[in-house]
Amino acid sequence: MFGYKFTIVSADCKWPVMVSRGLEAIRVDRARLRQALVNLIANAAKFTENGWIEVRLRRSEGDHPGTIIEVEDNGPRINTDILPTIFDR
């Protein structure tokens, strides 16, 4: 599924980055995308001690074509009881 893989190693953490095969160029606001990725990765790093952070880029499938960027880590998870309201003000 992934055509391009590399790993970023920083301190005690490994960050695999995987890019899907056939991923096309996308038009984005580079500054906003960069800020979003920095925020997601920094948050993952903040709560991940001696673990891993994985960044994946892949095509979305179905009725809404686009690119999906995922950041996953093995740090502590958010309590599932508060997930439905985590972004409520």
Side-chain angles (χ1 to χ4, degrees), residues 25-38 69:
I26 57 173
R27 295 183 95 168
V28 297
D29 180 323
R30 293 174 113 187
R32 288 185 183 189
L33 177 60
R34 181 180 299 121
Q35 188 62 53
L37 285 172
V38 165
I69 301 172

Side-chain angles (χ1 to χ4, degrees), residues 10 15 24 26 33 38 42 46 49 55 61 65 76 78:
S10 174
W15 304 8
E24 297 175 10
I26 57 173
L33 177 60
V38 165
K46 184 164 107 176
E49 295 181 24
V55 180
E61 296 181 15
I78 298 170

Side-chain angles (χ1 to χ4, degrees), residues 28-66:
V28 297
D29 180 323
R30 293 174 113 187
R32 288 185 183 189
L33 177 60
R34 181 180 299 121
Q35 188 62 53
L37 285 172
V38 165
N39 289 347
L40 289 168
I41 293 169
N43 189 61
K46 184 164 107 176
F47 296 104
T48 304
E49 295 181 24
N50 300 318
W52 53 266
I53 299 167
E54 188 171 284
V55 180
R56 293 184 295 272
L57 288 81
R58 62 184 173 87
R59 278 176 135 160
S60 62
E61 296 181 15
D63 296 336
H64 304 286

